[in-house]
Structures are given as structure tokens and as C-alpha cells.
Amino acid sequence: MSTATKPNHIGRKISRIRELKDMKQEALAQALGTNQQAVSIMENSETIDEEKLVEVAKALGVTVEAIKNFSEEGVFNYFNTFNDTTNSGAFNFGTNHCTFHPLDKLVEVYDENKKLYERLVQAEKDKNEYLEKLLKEK
């Protein structure tokens, strides 16, 4: 029987949560103080002792219950409940509220990139002025 069809395969649940958080096995291994091979073995294990599960949950930033109760269907249901009707235009899903509007974050990132670009352009101008000054002195 494949691991994908076993509903209580804890290792597979850990793997999916890790993937959904865009975390590589190496990063999880580092957070757990182990190596990538150990994480791979753990993710292929149907059961994991409770103490290790607590460590993994902490490293992933979720609760032990979230790992134990994880389901692909639950993730899709969670994200399908998004609506844009409350919380001053921010997303509302269940009792959890997004505290920012994604466009605000996009504008913030744009502004930071613009400032960085302007500093880089100014540094290049300063460098060119310095080089021109050196050439004139020769």
C-alpha cells in the first residue's frame, strides 16, 4: 500500500506540511539538529514517537494536532473559504484573519526595491565621478 493512501501516515503528513511551507528537507533537518537523510527516513515512517513529533511540529511552526489531523482535503477546504467581505478588505477565512492586504505588501516591496535601485544608481554615479576625477589628475 502506498503512503499516499494511508490516512494516518504521520511521515507523509509532515512531508506535505513541510512542502506547503516551501521548506526543503535540509532546512527541516537543520531546525531539528539532524541531517537530510534522517528527515527523509522520518517522512517515510508511518509512525513517529511523540517526543520527536513535538520537535517537528515546533520546527514547522504548527501544533502536533495539526500534523496528526492534517489532510489534503482539509487544506483545499481551508483555502476555498477565502472571501473578501470583512476585516477592512483583507481576507477572511474562518476565525483567522489576514492582518494585511496583499496589495499593500506588494507596494511595500516595490518601494523598498525602488529605494535600493536609487541607492545603486547613486553609487554608480559617485564611482564614475571619482574615476573621472582620477583621469583628470593624470
Side-chain angles (χ1 to χ4, degrees):
M1 181 180 257
S2 77
T3 59
T5 61
K6 291 186 179 184
N8 291 322
H9 194 285
I10 297 296
R12 182 67 187 140
K13 291 179 179 187
I14 290 169
S15 174
R16 289 300 295 137
I17 292 169
R18 177 183 55 75
E19 290 167 355
L20 287 168
K21 290 185 155 282
D22 199 26
M23 180 185 276
K24 298 205 178 290
Q25 283 185 338
E26 293 84 5
L28 181 56
Q30 186 176 11
L32 295 172
T34 188
N35 58 37
Q36 181 270 327
Q37 291 82 3
V39 170
S40 178
I41 291 167
M42 176 184 63
E43 289 181 352
N44 285 308
S45 301
E46 190 170 346
T47 60
I48 296 170
D49 67 77
E50 195 70 20
E51 187 177 302
K52 188 66 166 178
L53 194 55
V54 169
E55 292 176 30
V56 171
K58 184 178 179 183
L60 289 173
V62 298
T63 63
V64 171
E65 292 75 27
I67 294 173
K68 289 180 178 179
N69 298 324
F70 176 83
S71 74
E72 296 283 336
E73 184 178 307
V75 170
F76 292 117
N77 288 339
Y78 176 80
F79 284 108
N80 284 335
T81 60
F82 276 86
N83 64 52
D84 197 19
T85 60
T86 63
N87 201 18
S88 302
F91 291 111
N92 172 29
F93 40 101
T95 58
N96 301 316
H97 298 282
C98 188
T99 59
F100 62 90
H101 194 282
L103 288 177
D104 292 338
K105 283 294 182 188
L106 184 62
V107 169
E108 184 180 314
V109 169
Y110 172 79
D111 288 341
E112 289 299 317
N113 285 339
K114 183 178 175 186
K115 289 176 188 175
L116 175 62
Y117 176 76
E118 288 170 351
R119 287 195 312 262
L120 289 171
V121 168
Q122 186 59 47
E124 285 298 313
K125 287 180 181 177
D126 293 344
K127 184 171 68 173
N128 285 339
E129 287 176 14
Y130 177 72
L131 290 173
E132 286 175 5
K133 180 181 168 187
L134 287 176
L135 283 173
K136 287 179 183 177
E137 292 175 0
K138 284 190 172 187

